[in-house]
Amino acid sequence: MSTTLLSGRTLARLMQQKAHDDARNLEAEGLRPTLAVVVATDDGSTQWYVRSIERAAESAGVSCRIVDLGHDATAQVLAGVLKDLSNEPTVHGIILQTPLPPGVDADALVGHIAPEKDIDGANPVSLGHLAVGQPSFAPATARAVIEILDHFDIPVAGRNVVVIGRSAVVGKPLSLLLLERDAAVTICHSRSGPLEKYTKTADVVIVAAGRIGLLNSSHISSEAVVIDVGTNVLPDGSLVGDVDQASVRGVAAALTPVPGGVGSVTTSLLLLHTVEAAREQSRAFVREGAA
Ligand code: NAP
């Protein structure tokens, strides 16, 4: 069987263009959408990723402020910066980039990001809103998966969807987004037992575990759509996902590549979320002024 490759690049370009158009409209009203990325690491791949967000933001007409606090920043300094940015009216979106310095707990810090500026859905308040169907920003990676499914007209309502991974940044929010779309969702993790027990009968399998080669052709049916969220950097610097792509190609009905799949859409979504946040904050400001 021939496997359709679900590239994210076209969708990412379309989203980038939408972010650009919306940002231009806001700028005509005197508002420049601005994203702040807080960094506290010298890690090369993180620095590379942050620069890629900066470049994408520039070309979408979104200002990007990199707040680099150095690899020895303390939790107290980081918390103070997140609170200040949350209160800064010219900043509309905030990301706390991981990894953080040893001993600094990201979970304890993300609560300092104001929910209305939490464009990567990191604050537990955002996840709570998502869980009860209230407006909030979903983590961009989780939403990127949904956008890819929509873009390629892959239905999930009433279908058997397996999510491998239960982190608060990918697996859990993604499962909530899928439930919202009436999928029958099964969540697997490191202690759920043999994967094939769940994946063999799945219509859609989404892998977000950070384990190279975790899913191969023996785990899936020939009608399965496979979404590979994993990003693993090999010693030579190249990027691979969690799916044994060579094994799955020719067996699955469709497959996202790595790179060029979920990751490319994620960055564009961060910019779209920033523009949405800027628009919403400016409307809220007008409403408060009128009240
Ligand atoms: P994480 O916090 O480490 O969570 C990994 C999840 O996978 C955990 O729930 C873990 O189960 C589960 N898992 C690990 N080994 C497993 C196994 N052998 N069988 C079944 N489940 C297993 O990672 P994350 O932050 O969610 O990220 C997951 C992957 O997505 C990583 O490769 C990351 O780099 C990638 N990612 C990509 C993007 C993008 O834009 N493309 C963005 C974010 C993350 P337990 O809960 O039981 O430990």
Side-chain angles (χ1 to χ4, degrees):
M1 120 145 352
S2 80
T3 300
T4 305
L5 213 56
L6 308 173
S7 167
R9 295 202 197 278
T10 304
L11 176 59
R13 266 197 303 277
L14 290 171
M15 286 179 167
Q16 181 96 0
Q17 185 60 48
K18 177 162 172 40
H20 181 269
D21 294 347
D22 291 355
R24 216 170 39 187
N25 288 340
L26 286 178
E27 199 146 12
E29 297 168 22
L31 182 68
R32 171 96 173 163
T34 299
L35 171 65
V37 185
V38 178
V39 187
T41 179
D42 295 336
D43 172 60
S45 58
T46 306
Q47 297 276 351
W48 180 89
Y49 176 63
V50 169
R51 275 196 301 277
S52 77
I53 295 178
E54 195 177 20
R55 275 195 304 274
E58 261 166 36
S59 67
V62 170
S63 289
C64 187
R65 199 186 291 179
I66 309 295
V67 185
D68 193 341
L69 301 172
H71 65 275
D72 51 2
T74 62
Q76 204 180 6
V77 167
L78 279 153
V81 166
L82 292 173
K83 284 184 208 163
D84 288 348
L85 291 169
S86 290
N87 290 322
E88 166 61 58
T90 59
V91 169
H92 308 102
I94 302 170
I95 299 173
L96 174 63
Q97 188 59 48
T98 55
L100 294 172
V104 177
D105 179 13
D107 291 345
L109 288 172
V110 286
H112 295 300
I113 301 175
E116 68 275 16
K117 300 188 181 185
D118 185 25
I119 53 102
D120 202 16
N123 187 329
V125 169
S126 302
L127 190 60
H129 284 171
L130 198 63
V132 293
Q134 286 178 5
S136 70
F137 289 110
T141 304
R143 190 173 156 200
V145 172
I146 300 291
E147 296 286 344
I148 287 177
L149 292 169
D150 283 354
H151 180 72
F152 289 100
D153 287 327
I154 297 166
V156 293
R159 299 182 86 202
N160 178 3
V161 180
V162 172
V163 176
I164 304 172
R166 57 174 166 179
S167 73
V169 287
V170 190
K172 276 185 193 140
L174 176 55
S175 302
L176 292 169
L177 290 171
L178 289 162
L179 270 182
E180 209 172 75
R181 287 168 177 246
D182 300 323
V185 184
T186 303
I187 306 172
C188 296
H189 45 80
S190 66
R191 312 192 65 179
S192 53
L195 287 176
E196 57 271 23
K197 186 169 141 196
Y198 306 96
T199 52
K200 262 290 186 193
T201 52
D203 299 303
V204 179
V205 181
I206 305 168
V207 198
R211 298 282 181 277
I212 297 172
L214 182 63
L215 194 93
N216 62 46
S217 59
S218 74
H219 293 106
I220 56 166
S221 79
S222 58
E223 282 88 38
V225 171
V226 178
I227 309 287
D228 192 353
V229 181
T231 49
N232 307 288
V233 184
L234 296 178
D236 68 0
S238 59
L239 201 66
V240 294
D242 289 352
V243 175
D244 180 343
Q245 297 249 339
S247 150
V248 165
R249 273 187 206 198
V251 176
L255 170 68
T256 57
V258 177
V262 176
S264 48
V265 177
T266 300
T267 306
S268 300
L269 267 174
L270 289 173
L271 303 179
L272 262 184
H273 282 180
T274 303
V275 175
E276 279 173 35
R279 188 189 304 115
E280 204 37 55
Q281 283 158 47
S282 122
R283 283 185 187 150
F285 182 74
V286 170
R287 278 197 300 272
E288 278 162 25

